């Protein structure tokens, strides 16, 4: 005897094939979600059928159940989705009724809702006045109570001003300025420059703990509000011993004979002359420790470069000092000064140093290291997007720009920090030498006047000075200008006539050039004055080949003629001998004394030149004396 058994048929695991591509790949249709499956089943319900008889007359129903209707235990007379259909239909009916009610109440075309009339309450003005007065008194009491609480809190804060601040408030302030993280039950801080691009090996970690209260603090009486008591911090910072104290980089340029090796290898036992930073001021302590870490990283980088560079004179690294040669007889000394515990270097060490610390070069070192940090974290974006990360923008444009091999090699060259600071030190020394030479010449030479103008905007390795040579009272007649560019190891001079001269770092070459320009200015000024006085210059030479040989440069000369042509003035300027002036008369005084020459045409021949005693001439300067001389020799 067989009994009917319900068999559940599951859908195959494999989804239906939606599409087959040309290469034979089968694209399957995604399975339906639960909400999609419910919607698909709900679509099979016919809500137009209102009774069970209609459902029984549904031709789509399976008739297999009617054949097996003999057994009541395995047959259901009600349709399975009948309860769902009934609830949805009831919900639809209620929503329709609600929509009709809202339409009637809102549109007011079908029914008007009139309010129920209520009795007007009796007005009692005095009652309202008393109620308002009571409300105002209640509000006033609340404000007075709050003001009293604020006054009490301020008095309490003034009384407890000497007490240590709260630990969590101090920790919040510390977190606003420094990086902190919690490892198990320990708070660790970081003062390193790793986030800024530093690759220094030191961790730069410090520990933050809660300061322990002193035992005698509870027994001591509370201080008065006006007492000046030092505040103690609720935080206790444990900074590594190698980062405690104050550090800075000392940069000195001096001669080779001055204290060549004076390195302080042991930097821990300095005599303490300044008070250490108090524990309460944790911001200054951390800033000082971070500065020590920065100086150590800077000195470490300079020491590595000094050992690795191949220089003509090898660089020396001794303890806490780096010695590099800049010019013959001059060297640059870079020293790491670390005053552990707030101490100062001993008086003997400071007394033995003859050089002066250059704060500008120290600032340049700090700037260069921070620039390295910036480049480590700010890489240029790849253009195009497939380019490797890291090359500069110029290298990315080298291909489209068809850059040659020489330009590519120039782009790969880079200078280390030590090379850059050596170049800046050389430029500083050469600029000081140039200033000294110019100031010395200005003091020595009173006529003509020498005016120097240094450019305010310069680069660390290039300066420019403009020199004007003028004569007092005659600056509109003639002015000699030249520009000198001060580089690292050389000078470049651009003269008024366009000549460009390159000189070495020796100051004597610049001195010789200035003196040559001074006496060339005198000749040019005399010619300009002669034109103003009506005189004519017959000949001039900037490289006179007669006379004594000058140890420096060549002599310059010019010959001037009066308007009538009967007077001649010869001017000779020598860089070493100064200016010499000679005059000649025409005709000669003894021309008619003899009987050999009878014709009058030979009287225009000039006589012999006689030197003028220039120191006896009146006048403030050379051009003033020349003006008086020309005026006296001009005949009417």
């Amino acid at each position: 005897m067989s009994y009917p058994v319900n068999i559940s048929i599951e859908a195959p695991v494999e989804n239906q094939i939606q599409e087959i591509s040309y290469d034979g790949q089968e694209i399957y249709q995604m399975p339906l979600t639960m909400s999609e499956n419910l919607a698909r089943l709900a679509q099979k319900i016919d809500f137009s059928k209102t009774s069970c008889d209609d459902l029984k007359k549904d031709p789509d129903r399976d008739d297999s159940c009617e054949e097996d209707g003999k057994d009541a235990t395995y047959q259901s007379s009600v349709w399975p989705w009948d309860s769902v259909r009934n609830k949805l239909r009831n919900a639809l009916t209620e929503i329709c009724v609600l929509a009709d009610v809202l339409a009637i109440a809102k549109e007011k075309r079908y029914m008007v809702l009139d309010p129920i009339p209520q009795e007007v309450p009796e007005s009692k003005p005095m009652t309202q006045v008393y109620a308002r007065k009571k409300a105002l008194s209640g509000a006033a009491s609340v404000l007075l109570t709050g003001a009293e609480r604020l006054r009490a809190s301020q008095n309490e804060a003034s009384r407890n001003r000497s007490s240590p601040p709260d630990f969590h408030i101090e920790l919040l302030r510390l977190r606003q300025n420094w990086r902190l993280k919690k490892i198990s039950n320990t708070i660790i801080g970081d003062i390193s420059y790793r986030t800024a691009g530093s690759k220094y090996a030191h961790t730069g970690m410090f520990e933050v703990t809660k300061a322990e209260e002193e035992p005698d603090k509870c027994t001591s009486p509370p201080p008065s509000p006006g007492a000046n008591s030092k505040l103690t911090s609720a935080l206790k910072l444990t900074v590594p011993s190698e980062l405690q104290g104050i550090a800075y980089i000392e940069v000195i340029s001096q001669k080779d004979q001055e204290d060549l090796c004076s390195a302080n290898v042991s930097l821990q036992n300095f005599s303490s002359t300044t008070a250490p930073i108090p524990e309460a001021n944790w911001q200054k302590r951390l800033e000082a420790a971070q500065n020590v870490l920065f100086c150590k990283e800077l000195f470490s980088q300079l020491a590595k470069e000094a050992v690795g560079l191949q220089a003509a004179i090898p660089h020396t690294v001794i303890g806490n000092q780096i010695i590099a040669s800049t010019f013959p007889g001059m060297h640059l000394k870079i020293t790491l000064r670390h005053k552990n515990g707030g101490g100062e270097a001993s008086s003997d060490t400071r007394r033995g140093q003859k050089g002066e610390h250059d704060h500008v070069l120290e600032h340049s070192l700090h700037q260069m290291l921070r620039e390295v940090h910036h480049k480590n974290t700010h890489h240029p974006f790849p253009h195009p997007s497939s380019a490797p990360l890291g090359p500069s923008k110029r290298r990315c444009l080298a291909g489209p720009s068809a850059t040659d091999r020489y330009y590519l090699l120039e782009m790969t060259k880079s200078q280390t920090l030590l090379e850059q600071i050596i170049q800046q030190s050389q430029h500083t020394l050469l600029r000081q030498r140039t200033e000294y030479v110019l100031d010395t010449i200005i003091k020595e030479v009173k006529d003509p006047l020498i005016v120097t103008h240094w450019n305010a905007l310069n680069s660390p390795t290039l300066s420019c000075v403009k020199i004007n040579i003028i004569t007092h009272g005659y600056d509109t007649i003639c002015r000699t200008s030249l520009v000198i560019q001060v580089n690292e190891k050389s000078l470049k001079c651009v003269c008024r006539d366009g000549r460009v001269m390159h000189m070495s770092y020796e100051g004597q070459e610049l001195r010789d050039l200035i003196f040559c320009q001074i006496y060339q200015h005198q000749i040019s000024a005399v010619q300009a004055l002669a034109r103003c006085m009506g005189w004519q210059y017959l000949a001039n030479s900037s490289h006179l080949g007669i006379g004594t040989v000058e140890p420096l440069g060549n002599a310059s000369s010019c010959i001037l003629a009066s308007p009538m042509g009967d007077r001649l003035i010869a001017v000779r300027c020598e860089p070493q001998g100064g200016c010499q002036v000679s005059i000649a008369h025409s005709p000669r005084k003894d021309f008619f004394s003899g009987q050999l020459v009878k014709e009058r045409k030979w009287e225009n021949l000039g006589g012999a030149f006689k030197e003028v005693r220039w120191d006896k001439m009146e006048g403030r300067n050379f051009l003033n004396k020349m003006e008086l001389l020309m005026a006296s020799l001009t005949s009417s």
Side-chain angles (χ1 to χ4, degrees):
M1 184 176 179
S2 61
Y3 296 96
V5 179
N6 293 333
I7 299 176
S8 60
I9 302 177
E10 298 179 357
V13 179
E14 184 175 346
N15 299 326
Q16 296 180 0
I17 298 175
Q18 180 180 359
E19 183 184 353
I20 299 177
S21 58
Y22 291 106
D23 56 355
Q25 183 179 1
E26 297 178 352
I27 301 176
Y28 295 96
Q29 186 178 5
M30 297 301 296
L32 298 177
T33 60
M34 296 182 65
S35 60
E36 293 176 351
N37 192 17
L38 178 60
R40 184 178 62 84
L41 295 176
Q43 289 177 357
K44 297 181 179 181
I45 301 175
D46 189 2
F47 293 95
S48 62
K49 299 177 181 180
T50 58
S51 61
C52 295
D53 299 335
D54 297 337
L55 293 176
K56 293 179 180 179
K57 296 178 181 179
D58 189 359
D60 297 336
R61 293 189 59 190
D62 193 1
D63 296 337
S64 60
C65 295
E66 296 178 359
E67 298 176 357
D68 300 335
K70 299 178 181 179
D71 194 348
T73 56
Y74 295 97
Q75 183 180 2
S76 177
S77 61
V78 184
W79 186 48
W81 291 92
D82 187 52
S83 60
V84 177
R85 193 274 312 272
N86 293 335
K87 291 182 180 180
L88 290 177
R89 189 174 184 84
N90 295 336
L92 178 60
T93 303
E94 293 178 1
I95 290 176
C96 291
V97 173
L98 179 61
D100 294 339
V101 172
L102 292 177
I104 292 171
K106 182 178 180 182
E107 296 179 5
K108 297 182 179 181
R109 292 185 300 176
Y110 310 100
M111 182 175 61
V112 178
L113 301 178
D114 292 333
I116 300 174
Q118 297 180 359
E119 296 180 358
V120 179
E122 297 181 1
S123 61
K124 297 179 180 180
M126 292 305 299
T127 306
Q128 296 178 359
V129 170
Y130 288 137
R132 292 177 182 177
K133 185 176 180 180
K134 185 177 181 180
L136 289 175
S137 62
S141 64
V142 171
L143 292 176
L144 290 176
T145 304
E148 195 66 29
R149 289 181 180 178
L150 288 176
R151 190 180 296 108
S153 63
Q154 290 180 356
N155 294 336
E156 185 179 359
S158 62
R159 288 195 302 269
N160 298 334
R161 189 171 297 172
S162 60
S163 61
D166 184 60
F167 171 75
H168 298 284
I169 300 298
E170 288 285 318
L171 189 63
L172 177 61
R173 294 175 182 174
L174 181 66
R175 178 65 182 85
Q176 292 175 352
N177 299 325
W178 305 93
R179 296 188 300 273
L180 299 177
K181 61 180 179 180
K182 187 174 182 180
I183 302 177
S184 66
N185 294 330
T186 307
I187 301 176
I188 301 297
D190 186 10
I191 59 175
S192 66
Y193 289 89
R194 284 195 298 270
T195 57
S198 175
K199 298 181 180 179
Y200 192 49
H202 198 284
T203 58
M205 296 294 182
F206 65 94
E207 184 179 357
V208 182
T209 56
K210 186 175 182 180
E212 298 178 358
E213 297 182 357
E214 298 179 1
D216 57 345
K217 186 176 298 184
C218 300
T219 58
S220 60
S224 60
N228 296 328
S229 58
K230 295 185 179 180
L231 296 177
T232 58
S233 176
L235 300 179
K236 181 180 179 181
L237 304 181
T238 305
V239 182
S241 58
E242 62 270 14
L243 298 182
Q244 294 180 0
I246 302 174
Y248 67 96
I249 300 294
E250 187 179 54
V251 184
I252 299 176
S253 296
Q254 58 186 10
K255 297 181 180 180
D256 290 341
Q257 292 80 12
E258 297 179 359
D259 195 12
L260 187 58
C261 285
S262 62
N264 295 322
V265 180
S266 178
L267 303 175
Q268 303 296 330
N269 298 323
F270 285 157
S271 61
S272 178
T273 58
T274 59
I277 301 177
E279 183 74 25
N281 200 345
W282 47 262
Q283 179 70 19
K284 289 186 178 180
R285 287 192 62 202
L286 293 180
E287 289 178 357
Q290 194 176 43
N291 180 64
V292 172
L293 182 62
F294 186 84
C295 293
K296 284 180 176 292
E297 178 183 359
L298 179 57
F299 186 81
S300 174
Q301 181 68 21
L302 292 175
K304 291 179 182 178
E305 295 173 357
V307 174
L309 287 177
Q310 299 293 333
I313 300 178
H315 307 306
T316 307
V317 181
I318 304 176
N320 63 326
Q321 285 186 358
I322 300 174
I323 302 175
S325 177
T326 55
F327 289 113
M330 297 293 296
H331 68 272
L332 178 67
K333 184 169 67 172
I334 303 175
T335 309
L336 174 62
R337 297 291 181 184
H338 184 197
K339 294 166 282 189
N340 196 354
E344 183 70 31
S346 62
S347 58
D348 298 337
T349 305
R350 302 299 297 176
R351 193 183 300 112
Q353 297 177 357
K354 299 180 181 180
E356 184 178 358
H357 173 47
D358 195 335
H359 297 277
V360 177
L361 293 182
E362 180 190 6
H363 180 68
S364 298
L365 281 174
H366 284 254
Q367 279 187 330
M368 288 186 288
L369 184 57
R370 295 185 189 278
E371 186 178 358
V372 171
H373 290 172
H374 184 271
K375 289 181 179 179
N376 290 339
T377 54
H378 294 75
H379 297 285
F381 294 104
H383 300 286
S385 59
S386 59
L389 184 65
S392 62
K393 185 176 181 181
R394 292 195 306 167
R395 288 189 60 187
C396 293
L397 296 177
S401 302
T403 307
D404 56 355
R405 180 175 178 272
Y406 174 76
Y407 193 73
L408 288 173
L409 292 177
E410 288 294 328
M411 285 192 297
T412 57
K413 294 180 181 179
S414 60
Q415 290 183 331
T416 60
L417 301 184
L418 185 60
E419 290 176 338
Q420 296 180 31
I421 199 63
I422 288 176
Q423 288 183 357
Q424 294 186 19
S425 174
Q426 291 173 344
H427 172 73
T428 302
L429 291 175
L430 189 55
R431 187 178 66 243
Q432 292 176 356
R433 289 184 181 182
T434 304
E435 293 175 356
Y436 175 76
V437 170
L438 294 177
D439 293 344
T440 305
I441 295 176
I442 291 173
K443 292 179 181 179
E444 293 178 2
V445 179
K446 303 300 182 181
D447 179 29
L449 301 178
I450 303 175
V451 182
T452 59
H453 298 276
W454 287 89
N455 286 354
L457 299 178
N458 299 318
S459 69
T461 56
L462 179 63
S463 298
C464 187
V465 56
K466 182 180 180 182
I467 302 175
N468 290 325
I469 304 175
I470 58 176
T471 303
H472 179 65
Y474 299 88
D475 51 346
T476 59
I477 296 178
C478 184
R479 178 191 298 262
T480 301
S481 301
L482 64 153
V483 177
I484 297 178
Q485 294 181 0
V486 184
N487 299 318
E488 298 93 357
K489 293 184 178 181
S490 62
L491 299 175
K492 179 182 177 181
C493 179
V494 182
C495 299
R496 180 182 180 183
D497 54 359
R499 292 179 299 168
V500 179
M501 288 173 283
H502 297 273
M503 297 170 287
S504 65
Y505 53 84
E506 293 293 341
Q508 187 63 34
E509 295 185 13
L510 177 61
R511 183 182 179 87
D512 298 344
L513 174 65
I514 298 299
F515 272 102
C516 291
Q517 292 293 319
I518 287 174
Y519 291 104
Q520 288 182 7
H521 165 78
Q522 299 285 40
I523 295 297
S524 301
V526 167
Q527 295 177 9
L529 180 62
R531 287 192 292 268
C532 296
M533 297 292 293
W535 285 57
Q536 300 177 357
Y537 69 93
L538 304 179
N540 64 336
S541 175
S542 58
H543 302 285
L544 193 62
I546 60 176
T548 59
V549 179
E550 291 292 326
L552 169 63
N554 295 322
S556 302
S557 67
C558 67
I559 300 177
L560 308 176
S562 63
M564 299 296 294
D566 56 346
R567 300 291 188 270
L568 298 177
I569 298 179
V571 182
R572 176 189 175 95
C573 290
E574 302 173 355
Q576 294 293 334
C579 296
Q580 301 175 4
V581 182
S582 301
I583 59 175
H585 295 270
S586 178
R588 298 174 57 178
K589 295 180 181 180
D590 57 349
F591 183 77
F592 297 104
S593 62
Q595 301 296 327
L596 296 178
V597 180
K598 301 297 183 180
E599 299 181 5
R600 304 284 298 180
K601 64 179 182 179
W602 300 104
E603 67 181 2
N604 293 327
L605 292 176
F609 283 92
K610 295 182 180 179
E611 185 177 355
V612 180
R613 298 178 63 182
W614 199 246
D615 54 343
K616 301 297 182 180
M617 283 286 297
E618 294 183 359
R620 294 173 297 178
N621 47 47
F622 176 74
L623 287 186
N624 195 5
K625 294 180 180 180
M626 286 297 301
E627 182 182 3
L628 296 177
L629 181 62
M630 290 180 187
S632 62
L633 294 179
T634 302
S635 59
S636 58

